[in-house]
Amino acid sequence: MAYDIIIANGTVVSAQGQEQADVAIQGEKIAAVGKGLARSAAGATVVDATGKYVIPGALDVHVHLELPFCGTVSSDDWNTGTRAAARGGVTTVIDFAIPYGKESLEDAYNNWLAKAKPKACVDYCFHLAITNWDRHGPEMEKMVRRGCPTFKEFMIYASEGWQADDRAIYNTLERTRDLGAMLLVHAESSRVLDELIARHHTPEQMEKHGAQLHAVTRPNFIEAEAIQRAILWAEVTGGTLYIVHMSTAEGADIVKAAQARGVKVYAETCAQYLVLDDSVFARPEGHLYACCPQVKKPKDQQRLWKGLNTGEVCVVSTDTCTFTREQKARWNGDWTKIPMGLPGLETLVPIVYTHGVLADRLPLTQLVAKCCTNPAKVMGLYPKKGVLQPGSDADVVLLDPNKKIVVDHAKMETGADWNPYQGWELAGFAETTFCRGRKIVEDYKFIGENGWGQWLPRERAGELV
Ligand code: URP
Ligand code: ZN
Ligand code: ZN
């Protein structure tokens, strides 16, 4: 058999197990996985993976690249964002195409495609944000047929013009049921959140507590109530619901109970909720860490790690939404003006590997499940993505289990001039990354090109089997 590339002698890791094997690539696809392939390697380029883990390219199914938000535009664009992805071993990203003003879902999709296509270095697709049910609801079927079966609604962000109410969520879930689609929801309880913000929004409180008010005004029940409510609408409609960036122990308990009742609800958490807690807001530059929802308490971290092990949390993503120091400085002492979001694409796998696998919180197979296989399945990209098997895209990542790198924003691909993990020693950066058979990271350095990434059509979403 003629192969182009053989990744030889590595430990190939799947969501089910690990074995010593070779991975053969032909063109953009995996041609074979098995022992001894390198022996018949005539003409193939052999990549020695001795002592390395060989995993499927990770999927970050929650990113916001060059997003107009909080009065500015997130600073990682489709160039720096997807370069960062590659270096972190992420070969597929899913962004959120959001209609502005009177735009349709189709307009939003076209706008996002125009931004992504010339720049993307890894593969990509979009969730479509429904910001006006009456205008966007009737478009859902057409957009599913066009290859976009995941939709998004925000229970907050009225000031951005993005907020969806219960009527919209109820209607959208009904439609997802009929279309084989899935609704992703940002679950926070907006009326009570606004009330708590108003109570604390005084010069005295801001002077005294600074960025800590971001956490004070978002107690865990803000997320818990909204998750509970969204789950009720999923339960009564039979629609498929995916809770994005779940950050609380209470949320995990509610999701677990609903899954046990047979509700079709999935939950994702993000790397930052697993390793950061709200003590960061007391730091001199605590405002930099503001994201939405904010990082919570150590007990929430523990519950989320548990949820990854027991299954109610099925995906780890990043919610990458990068803002520079200058952008974050817009806050000027008022926490409600902080552009909310963190860089993350480059450190997703390293965080889960170092603080999950090496810290004995998560088996390596579960890293593959939560960062590769499950996101591909639930978003309708499996088995094209998320698995190393013949016929799948040749998205392959080599990790050196012993190589640690100290995080330094100045040496990273992300455009951020700060990093929430600055100075942390992390293992699990991609030594080598292949995206559809093309090497895009070598010896920890990005060597890919803009425009290599392709948009990925999907037929349906919402199944983990
Ligand atoms: O802080 C965040 N998460 N910014 C992006 C918008 C969102 O809610 O995901
Ligand atoms: Zn959100
Ligand atoms: Zn987000």
Side-chain angles (χ1 to χ4, degrees):
M1 188 74 177
Y3 302 126
D4 296 325
I5 299 167
I6 298 184
I7 301 165
N9 300 317
T11 302
V12 177
V13 188
S14 71
Q16 286 79 39
Q18 57 187 67
E19 55 164 352
Q20 292 300 120
D22 301 337
V23 177
I25 298 174
Q26 211 171 19
E28 297 191 358
K29 299 285 179 187
I30 303 225
V33 180
K35 292 192 197 306
L37 299 176
R39 282 201 290 275
S40 56
T45 301
V46 176
V47 177
D48 182 16
T50 306
K52 312 272 163 60
Y53 291 128
V54 181
I55 68 168
L59 291 83
D60 189 344
V61 300
H62 189 151
V63 307
H64 305 277
L65 301 177
E66 47 190 294
L67 174 72
F69 182 51
C70 296
T72 180
V73 178
S74 66
S75 62
D76 268 317
D77 67 2
W78 284 87
N79 175 32
T80 59
T82 57
R83 290 168 68 110
R87 189 162 173 268
V90 172
T91 52
T92 300
V93 298
I94 312 187
D95 203 307
F96 296 80
I98 304 180
Y100 289 83
K102 293 267 180 306
E103 287 173 354
S104 64
L105 292 183
E106 191 172 15
D107 292 333
Y109 164 84
N110 288 334
N111 292 341
W112 252 253
L113 192 64
K115 289 192 273 187
K117 200 171 173 171
K119 293 191 200 162
C121 308
V122 301
D123 289 350
Y124 59 92
C125 51
F126 314 121
H127 314 291
L128 302 178
I130 293 174
T131 55
N132 181 309
W133 167 254
D134 291 316
R135 285 192 294 104
H136 298 148
E139 271 193 279
M140 284 178 69
E141 185 171 358
K142 176 185 72 184
M143 296 314 290
V144 170
R145 285 216 207 92
R146 186 168 292 188
C148 301
T150 49
F151 298 89
K152 169 77 180 285
E153 281 170 350
F154 299 91
M155 294 170 86
I156 63 165
Y157 299 141
S159 59
E160 300 282 343
W162 297 353
Q163 189 173 31
D165 61 11
D166 286 345
R167 171 177 169 265
I169 294 171
Y170 179 88
N171 276 309
T172 309
L173 282 163
E174 263 185 350
R175 299 291 289 134
T176 64
R177 177 197 62 203
D178 301 337
L179 294 170
M182 182 165 76
L183 175 62
L184 288 68
V185 166
H186 174 134
E188 288 190 293
S189 202
S190 112
R191 297 299 296 270
V192 178
L193 171 59
D194 288 347
E195 170 66 15
L196 296 182
I197 289 173
R199 284 185 195 178
H200 290 85
H201 202 223
T202 66
E204 298 74 32
Q205 295 252 342
M206 290 195 278
E207 175 72 30
K208 194 164 167 202
H209 302 294
Q212 293 178 87
L213 290 172
H214 186 47
V216 169
T217 52
R218 286 182 139 87
N220 284 22
F221 60 75
I222 291 290
E223 179 175 272
E225 186 278 335
I227 289 179
Q228 182 82 64
R229 186 154 36 97
I231 283 176
L232 179 63
W233 302 142
E235 190 159 17
V236 296
T237 58
T240 305
L241 174 68
Y242 178 100
I243 305 294
V244 298
H245 51 44
M246 189 169 71
S247 62
T248 57
E250 288 84 345
D253 290 343
I254 292 165
V255 167
K256 187 176 167 67
Q259 289 171 343
R261 295 198 301 277
V263 183
K264 281 202 77 176
V265 55
Y266 302 103
E268 138 201 296
T269 192
C270 302
Q272 58 269 28
Y273 305 120
L274 294 168
V275 293
L276 296 176
D277 66 67
D278 62 9
S279 63
V280 294
F281 298 116
R283 294 183 187 174
E285 290 194 310
H287 69 287
L288 294 176
Y289 293 82
C291 57
C292 180
Q294 88 284 11
V295 295
K296 300 293 194 300
K297 306 274 184 213
K299 76 163 177 45
D300 298 292
Q301 295 174 4
Q302 283 157 23
R303 179 66 185 86
L304 293 168
W305 281 113
K306 183 173 167 222
L308 288 168
N309 277 291
T310 46
E312 57 270 26
V313 186
C314 67
V315 168
V316 187
S317 69
T318 65
D319 195 8
T320 290
C321 191
T322 309
F323 295 103
T324 62
R325 282 172 182 282
E326 192 185 344
Q327 289 175 302
K328 291 273 185 181
R330 296 169 68 94
W331 87 304
N332 201 19
D334 178 347
W335 90 98
T336 65
K337 297 195 166 58
I338 311 174
M340 292 183 287
L342 305 175
L345 266 161
E346 207 157 346
T347 44
L348 167 62
V349 174
I351 291 279
V352 178
Y353 182 72
T354 308
H355 290 271
V357 179
L358 295 184
D360 277 336
R361 291 191 180 108
L362 197 71
L364 183 58
T365 50
Q366 281 303 304
L367 177 150
V368 172
K370 308 304 178 182
C371 297
C372 313
T373 312
N374 285 356
K377 284 184 174 175
V378 77
M379 296 301 166
L381 287 166
Y382 185 87
K384 184 176 171 64
K385 303 290 185 187
V387 63
L388 298 177
Q389 69 180 36
S392 298
D393 281 357
D395 297 345
V396 191
V397 173
L398 273 60
L399 303 180
D400 180 338
N402 302 312
K403 171 83 174 175
K404 294 196 167 154
I405 292 178
V406 177
V407 173
D408 180 0
H409 63 78
K411 296 186 181 140
M412 295 173 88
E413 292 293 343
T414 164
D417 55 358
W418 71 285
N419 195 283
Y421 314 110
Q422 181 76 8
W424 290 28
E425 201 176 58
L426 297 178
F429 283 97
E431 186 230 61
T432 305
T433 304
F434 291 91
C435 177
R436 275 182 295 102
R438 175 172 178 159
K439 198 188 272 185
I440 59 170
V441 170
E442 185 174 67
D443 196 17
Y444 302 96
K445 290 188 187 59
F446 178 77
I447 57 163
E449 72 170 321
N450 292 121
W452 175 253
Q454 285 183 352
W455 177 73
L456 301 165
R458 298 169 287 154
E459 280 179 18
R460 63 186 71 79
E463 297 296 337
L464 255 191
V465 287

